[in-house]
Amino acid sequence: MGANIRKDVVLDNIDITDPSLVSIADEVVVSEGATLESHQVKNGMLVLGPVRIGSRASIGPFSFLQMGTILASEAIVPALHRTEIAQYFIKTTPHSEPKGDHRDANMVTSTTHIWQLLGIYTVAMVSTLSAAIVYSLFTGLAKSMQVPWMWT
């Protein structure tokens, strides 16, 4: 009972909610903060579905793969991306990209990576700033009032 994980897989601090329904092929990279969720509660019923990741696939940081997601070999899920239930990702090649304004779900524009990186660092900066503010408030209040741990 557990996830079926093949060889040469890189898992960096991820969350697998239902390990027995997850299958990860060879040479896959799952980045930090990714979540692989194989269940959903729908109309009061627990619905289960597998998450399958093909060989040499890449899952970006803080991505969320829902139940029924199947990634083909060499598929890429961008950072901060959430898949829909039972969504299939295939590898896109320069020859298979549609012409015009029609975009495939896997196509990423040249600026998408920059915006994703900025988003991740913005979240980190805001959380660090809020921790510093809370710490400053706590130390300021601790100096001005008696607290039980200071009585010893």
Side-chain angles (χ1 to χ4, degrees):
M1 294 291 294
N4 180 13
I5 300 175
R6 305 291 302 260
K7 64 180 178 129
D8 298 329
V9 173
V10 177
L11 301 175
D12 184 14
N13 193 21
I14 68 168
D15 183 21
I16 301 176
T17 58
D18 306 298
S20 61
L21 296 172
V22 173
S23 176
I24 302 175
D26 298 329
E27 300 176 16
V28 171
V29 176
V30 183
S31 299
E32 175 185 6
T35 300
L36 310 178
E37 185 173 275
S38 301
H39 71 273
Q40 176 188 21
V41 177
K42 189 173 184 180
N43 298 329
M45 301 279 296
L46 179 64
V47 181
L48 301 173
V51 172
R52 307 224 185 279
I53 302 172
S55 62
R56 292 180 302 283
S58 175
I59 300 172
F62 302 101
S63 295
F64 189 88
L65 275 60
Q66 293 190 42
M67 62 174 260
T69 300
I70 297 176
L71 301 181
S73 294
E74 300 181 14
I76 298 172
V77 177
L80 302 172
H81 187 81
R82 179 185 180 112
T83 65
E84 298 301 320
I85 294 175
Q87 184 173 8
Y88 297 91
F89 273 80
I90 58 171
K91 178 185 174 195
T92 56
T93 62
H95 302 293
S96 68
E97 292 178 4
K99 293 181 173 44
D101 285 340
H102 305 290
R103 294 189 178 184
D104 185 72
N106 288 349
M107 277 183 29
V108 179
T109 63
S110 60
T111 59
T112 302
H113 296 296
I114 294 170
W115 286 112
Q116 291 170 351
L117 186 65
L118 286 174
I120 291 170
Y121 281 106
T122 302
V123 168
M125 182 182 69
V126 168
S127 64
T128 303
L129 182 62
S130 64
I133 291 170
V134 169
Y135 176 77
S136 298
L137 288 173
F138 175 75
T139 55
L141 291 174
K143 289 179 185 176
S144 65
M145 58 191 249
Q146 293 292 327
V147 291
W149 56 269
M150 294 178 68
W151 294 344
T152 58

